[in-house]
Amino acid sequence: MSAVSSEPNRDYAALSRGDRVRTTIYSDPDLFETEMEKIFGRTWVWVAHTSEVPEKGSFKRSWVGTQPVIVSRDRKGELHVLVNRCRHRAATVCEHDSGRTSSFQCPYHGWGYALDGSLRGVPYSEGYGEGFDKSQFGLRRLKVATYAGMIFASFNEAVEPLEDFLGHARVWIDLFMKQGGGFPVKAAGEHRFSFPGNWKIQLENTTDAYHFPVVHKPFLQSLDAQTEEMFSFLGEDDGFVQDLGNGHSVMVMMPELIDLDADEGWQIPARFSALADQLRERYDEEQVRRIVKAVGGVGFNLNLFPNAACSLSFFRILRPVSATETHIRHIALGMEGGPPEANQMRLRLHEHFQGPMGFGSPDDAEVWERVQRGTAGGPDLDILVNRGEGLEKQGLHGLPRGDVSAETGMRAAYAMWERMMAQ
Amino acid sequence: MTGAEVMERPIEGDISLREAEEFIWREADILDRADYEAWLALWAPEGRYVIPLKPEATDFENTLNIVYDDAQMRRMRVERLSGGFAISATPAARTIRLASRFVTMEAGPGLIAVRSAMHLTEDKFDRQRVFVANVEHRLVRRDGALMIRDKVVRMINADGVLTSISYLF
Ligand code: FES
Ligand SMILES: [Fe+2]
C-alpha cells in the first residue's frame, strides 16, 4: 500500500477525544479511504481460521479492508494470503468461496499462478521480450502469521510480530479456544449479513453490554429461567470490561465461565442435562462435564482491533465496504471430531441468536442502522463513549478496567484508531 | 425428513396440486398479514421449518442453518415477532410475496410435496429489498384439513451476504 495519506495534516485527535468521537467518522468517505490505508493497510487483519483451509491445496476467499484476498495452503502445507487480482489486467483469479485446487488460473488471458502466488505460466510467452521476468509478476503476497488457529495478514512488511500486536489479548484467545472441550476448534459454517452503516459502529458493539437487556429482550424472553438469569449480567458487580492495549479489549459477562477447564462448583444447567445423559453413554463423567461446559461457550467477548471478535462461542468478523456499508460474518465453531450431538447443540444455539433470522442479530443490525440514520441529524453533536469514566479501576497490566457496562472497550479501540490514524 | 413417518399414518385420500397451491397461497397471505397465530395453526406439531444456509443442503441437523425450527422454536419465533419488543420487528417491514411455478415433487396417500418459486418484496425505511427462494412444502391431510409437515425455504442467495430479516418466509 502506498504510504502517502490523502490528508497528511488532518488532526485526527480532534475527531476522537477519548470519551467522545465526532459524528463524521461514521460517514466521511475521505476518512474511510484513510482508514483503509492507515489501519487496514498497516496492521494485522484477521482473514480466516486454519480449519477453513485444512489441507494442502485448500483455499478460502477473504478480505483485508476492502481488498479481496485468497487464503491458500500450498503443497508444503504453508499458508499464503494473496491479493485476488491478476497481475496482467487485474481480473480476479478466484471467484469460489472456498475449495481445493492446484493453481489459480486467470480466466482472461490464462496466466497461471501457483498456490503460493508465484506466476507459473503465461500463454504465448514468446509475445513478451527477453526482459520479461516472471518472478516479478506473482500475485501480491501479504505477510501472514497465525495465533491459536486464527490466520492474520498484513500489507505492512514492517508490521510488528503478531504475538506482540495481540499482546495481552493472547491469554484470552487461549481461554476462548478451550470451548473445543479437548477437541480442536473448527469453523462450522457462517452467517453473513450486511448493514448500511460504518464499520466502527459494529466494532463498538462487541464490548457493549449496556445494550444487551434492551436490544436483546426478546432473546432473553425466549430462554428458560435459568439461562435468562445467566444472561442477566448487568447490575451484578463481578463482570467487567478490560482494556488490553493496542485497541483490544475484553468484556467478561459471566466470570464463572472464563476458564472452561475449571470445573469446581459448576453444575450442569438444565438445558444441557439431556445432552449430558447422551454423552454419558460414551464418555466418563469428567469428559462429559468438560464437553457440556464447552458447548455453551465462554463467558466473555474479546475484541481484536480492527476487525475480529471472539464472542461467547463464535467469531464475529467485520469487513468495511464503504463509509456507510459493512459486512459481518458470524462463524459458528464446532469441536473437530467431537460428539455429533454436542456439535448439533452448538449449531442450534448459534442459529437461535445469530444470523439474518436469529433472535439477536437482526435487532443488532437494525440498531446499528439506526445509529447511521440518526447521525444525519446534529452533525455538530458528538457520539458519547464516556460511560464508566471516572469509575474505572486500574486493571491488569495497569490498563483501565470498568464495570461490565462501561464503554472502556470503545475507548480502547478509539485510542488505537487515533494512534494509527496519526501515524 | 422423508415421507416415511407420514405414510405410516392412516390414509385419508390424495391431495391435488391445485389444493396444495391454494393452501400455499393462503399461507402467503397469512404471512403477509403477519397473522402468526393463524400461521402456527397450519402446522403439524412434528413439522420442521428450515431455511438452510446452503441452497442445496440436505443434512439440516448437522449443518448450520438460517432457521431450523421445531414446534417450540416456531412458537418462540412468533412471540418474538409479535411481542412488540423486537426492535427489528417494531415497526415491522411490510411484505408482499408471490408464489408461482408449482411442481409436484412427491405424492402419496394423504401427502403431497410441492416446490414453488417465491418472490418476496420487503418495504421498510423508505427502501425495498427483494428475496427469492425455492420453497418446498410437504403437506399432509389430518382430520380432513391440510397441514404443513415440513417447509424448506431455499433462498437463492442463502450463502451470500443477506440483511437482517424480521418476518417469516
Ligand atoms: S487479466 Fe489475467 S491473464 Fe490477462
Ligand atoms: Fe447485541
Side-chain angles (χ1 to χ4, degrees):
Chain A
M1 301 224 40
S2 83
V4 186
S5 163
S6 46
E7 301 174 44
N9 299 318
R10 191 150 174 177
D11 181 8
Y12 295 105
L15 293 169
S16 159
R17 282 169 290 154
D19 65 347
R20 61 194 56 209
V21 292
R22 299 300 302 184
T23 295
T24 48
I25 71 165
Y26 290 157
S27 54
D28 180 349
D30 293 336
L31 189 70
F32 180 82
E33 290 305 317
T34 310
E35 288 173 339
M36 290 309 105
E37 177 193 315
K38 293 192 165 190
I39 297 174
F40 286 84
R42 293 199 190 155
T43 191
W44 288 107
V45 176
W46 193 103
V47 286
H49 186 259
T50 45
S51 64
E52 296 180 287
V53 279
E55 48 203 0
K56 293 166 186 176
S58 296
F59 68 87
K60 164 93 189 160
R61 271 199 308 174
S62 189
W63 283 264
V64 173
T66 51
Q67 301 200 42
V69 299
I70 306 165
V71 183
S72 69
R73 203 183 270 281
D74 70 20
R75 269 187 249 165
K76 283 178 245 144
E78 214 159 302
L79 289 166
H80 303 276
V81 177
L82 313 162
V83 175
N84 189 4
R85 173 212 160 114
C86 178
R87 290 296 302 282
H88 178 221
R89 215 80 69 67
T92 54
V93 298
C94 176
E95 286 293 344
H96 291 281
D97 249 355
S98 60
R100 280 197 74 187
T101 187
S102 54
S103 64
F104 300 104
Q105 182 96 15
C106 180
Y108 200 176
H109 311 92
W111 285 24
Y113 300 91
L115 286 161
D116 67 356
S118 55
L119 177 59
R120 279 291 151 79
V122 173
Y124 309 105
S125 55
E126 56 276 20
Y128 288 100
E130 292 232 315
F132 184 78
D133 177 3
K134 275 204 288 206
S135 72
Q136 297 303 303
F137 297 105
L139 299 176
R140 171 170 289 167
R141 210 179 296 180
L142 281 74
K143 237 178 138 76
V144 186
T146 63
Y147 186 80
M150 299 197 282
I151 309 170
F152 294 81
S154 181
F155 279 108
N156 181 2
E157 272 308 311
V159 66
E160 65 184 311
L162 177 65
E163 303 229 337
D164 296 356
F165 171 68
L166 294 175
H168 302 309
R170 279 180 299 163
V171 20
W172 292 95
I173 296 173
D174 296 343
L175 289 166
F176 184 78
M177 298 302 168
K178 288 192 181 188
Q179 67 185 290
F183 301 93
V185 166
K186 67 154 184 207
E190 66 184 62
H191 291 128
R192 300 182 199 180
F193 61 95
S194 70
F195 75 96
N198 189 270
W199 64 278
K200 298 186 290 302
I201 295 171
Q202 198 280 278
L203 183 74
E204 294 164 9
N205 179 262
T206 294
T207 55
D208 182 342
Y210 194 22
H211 84 288
F212 205 92
V214 186
V215 171
H216 301 305
K217 188 169 175 179
F219 169 71
L220 292 167
Q221 285 173 333
S222 71
L223 304 172
D224 62 85
Q226 193 187 14
T227 315
E228 187 179 352
E229 169 58 31
M230 197 182 88
F231 275 98
S232 304
F233 41 79
L234 241 62
E236 288 169 23
D237 33 68
D238 42 0
F240 61 91
V241 185
Q242 167 78 51
D243 182 336
L244 297 172
N246 287 352
H248 316 311
S249 59
V250 66
M251 169 177 75
V252 176
M253 296 156 287
M254 302 152 208
E256 65 282 10
L257 296 177
I258 286 179
D259 184 347
L260 295 175
D261 286 349
D263 188 23
E264 217 171 306
W266 180 73
Q267 307 234 342
I268 292 180
R271 64 174 172 153
F272 295 140
S273 62
L275 172 66
D277 285 341
Q278 274 180 286
L279 293 173
R280 282 191 185 105
E281 292 167 13
R282 283 152 28 235
Y283 297 95
D284 65 37
E285 189 60 22
E286 196 184 325
Q287 252 176 315
V288 168
R289 293 177 64 80
R290 189 177 185 202
I291 294 167
V292 170
K293 197 173 185 194
V295 163
V298 299
F300 59 85
N301 281 5
L302 174 67
N303 218 9
L304 301 175
F305 189 87
N307 77 322
C310 300
S311 184
L312 295 167
S313 55
F314 66 102
F315 293 137
R316 177 196 263 177
I317 309 301
L318 72 84
R319 165 155 83 91
V321 175
S322 74
T324 55
E325 188 181 356
T326 306
H327 288 186
I328 307 291
R329 302 166 61 188
H330 282 172
I331 303 174
L333 298 174
M335 307 170 180
E336 176 94 67
E341 58 270 56
N343 278 327
Q344 283 166 8
M345 183 105 193
R346 287 187 66 103
L347 292 170
R348 301 295 91 82
L349 293 176
H350 194 81
E351 288 157 359
H352 189 159
F353 192 93
Q354 318 295 340
M357 290 179 80
F359 284 41
S361 302
D363 296 325
D364 277 325
E366 192 154 315
V367 288
W368 303 339
E369 181 171 358
R370 295 257 199 130
V371 169
Q372 191 75 30
R373 290 169 71 80
T375 56
D380 55 327
L381 301 175
D382 288 334
I383 310 286
L384 300 180
V385 288
N386 60 348
R387 189 175 162 85
E389 255 205 342
L391 304 172
E392 285 171 331
K393 302 193 174 73
Q394 223 193 54
L396 302 162
H397 331 294
L399 291 161
R401 168 177 173 158
D403 79 90
V404 72
S405 76
E407 284 156 355
T408 308
M410 292 157 230
R411 290 193 287 277
Y414 280 116
M416 182 65 166
W417 182 89
E418 195 185 310
R419 197 171 105 199
M420 296 208 72
M421 292 294 277
Q423 64 186 348
Chain B
M1 250 184 246
T2 66
E5 244 170 280
V6 175
M7 314 272 269
E8 285 158 20
R9 290 170 195 283
I11 295 166
E12 286 168 290
D14 292 342
I15 304 166
S16 71
L17 181 58
R18 180 66 194 168
E19 199 184 347
E21 284 172 19
E22 278 172 6
F23 180 92
I24 292 164
W25 277 321
R26 193 162 73 245
E27 187 207 6
D29 183 60
I30 286 170
L31 288 173
D32 280 340
R33 288 188 284 105
D35 185 359
Y36 294 123
E37 288 298 328
W39 184 73
L40 285 180
L42 299 178
W43 281 84
E46 74 280 24
R48 283 276 192 280
Y49 174 54
V50 185
I51 306 182
L53 194 67
K54 298 272 176 208
E56 66 295 334
T58 51
D59 184 4
F60 307 133
E61 182 123 71
N62 289 298
T63 54
L64 188 65
N65 302 286
I66 294 169
V67 170
Y68 181 87
D69 286 1
D70 58 11
Q72 194 198 347
M73 274 297 277
R74 282 197 297 278
R75 156 69 48 199
M76 274 156 47
R77 198 173 286 282
V78 161
E79 275 160 18
R80 172 179 128 72
L81 294 175
S82 10
F85 297 115
I87 282 122
S88 55
T90 321
R94 288 181 208 139
T95 63
I96 291 184
R97 62 201 77 205
L98 300 173
S100 185
R101 196 254 273 135
F102 299 89
V103 175
T104 305
M105 298 165 71
E106 194 189 330
L111 157 85
I112 189 168
V114 175
R115 181 170 60 242
S116 60
M118 183 189 66
H119 183 115
L120 179 148
T121 307
E122 159 202 318
D123 186 272
K124 185 167 193 179
F125 287 151
D126 307 318
R127 54 153 158 73
Q128 293 194 344
R129 291 167 167 170
V130 169
F131 288 96
V132 182
N134 272 313
V135 183
E136 297 166 8
H137 280 88
R138 183 171 295 273
L139 305 176
V140 290
R141 197 183 304 280
R142 297 271 167 86
D143 300 325
L146 288 196
M147 307 203 90
I148 307 172
R149 172 59 175 82
D150 295 308
K151 178 174 173 180
V152 180
V153 181
R154 299 183 185 275
M155 294 209 265
I156 196 169
N157 57 341
D159 55 354
V161 179
L162 301 172
T163 54
S164 70
I165 298 160
S166 273
Y167 41 85
L168 302 174
F169 286 107

